[in-house]
Amino acid sequence: MTEPFPTSAEDMKAIMDRLTYRDDEAVAVPVVTGQDTGRDLVPRSVKLPNDLDSRCKARALRLGLSQSAYIRSLIERDLAQTEHHDRPVMWSDLARIVTELSRTA
C-alpha cells in the first residue's frame, strides 16, 4: 500500500492484518462531561436562522453558558412568568420572546 489512506479492500485487509489486540494493556479513557449532560435533560432540536444562532452563541458565551443552557434559561424564565396563567401562548408572546432574544444578544 503506497497511498496514505486505504483505497481498496486489499489495503484495508493489510491494515487489519498488522493490527494487534492486547487485553493485558487496558487503557482507562477519562470521560469528561459538560453542563449539558445531565440524566434528566431531554435533547431537542431547535431550528434557528443563522443570524439568530450566531447572536445566541455570542450572548451565551458572554454569560459563560452553553447555547443550550442559555436557551433553557429563557424558557424557564418565560414559564415562571406565565405559570399561573391558564391561557395558551399567543403569537404576540412568542414575538416578545424573540424580540428579547434579539435585544439581549
Side-chain angles (χ1 to χ4, degrees), residues 3-14:
E3 298 291 322
F5 299 103
T7 57
S8 68
E10 292 80 21
D11 291 344
M12 275 308 298
K13 182 173 179 344

Side-chain angles (χ1 to χ4, degrees), residues 5 34 46 57 59 67 79 81 83 88-89 93-94 96:
F5 299 103
V46 178
K57 282 179 189 173
R59 178 66 175 155
Q67 252 185 300
L79 291 175
Q81 292 172 354
E83 271 183 347
V89 174
D93 295 330
L94 295 175
R96 178 184 51 77

Side-chain angles (χ1 to χ4, degrees), residues 78 82 87-100:
D78 179 66
T82 60
R87 66 175 176 80
V89 174
M90 305 301 287
W91 283 110
S92 59
D93 295 330
L94 295 175
R96 178 184 51 77
I97 293 168
V98 168
T99 299
E100 184 174 335

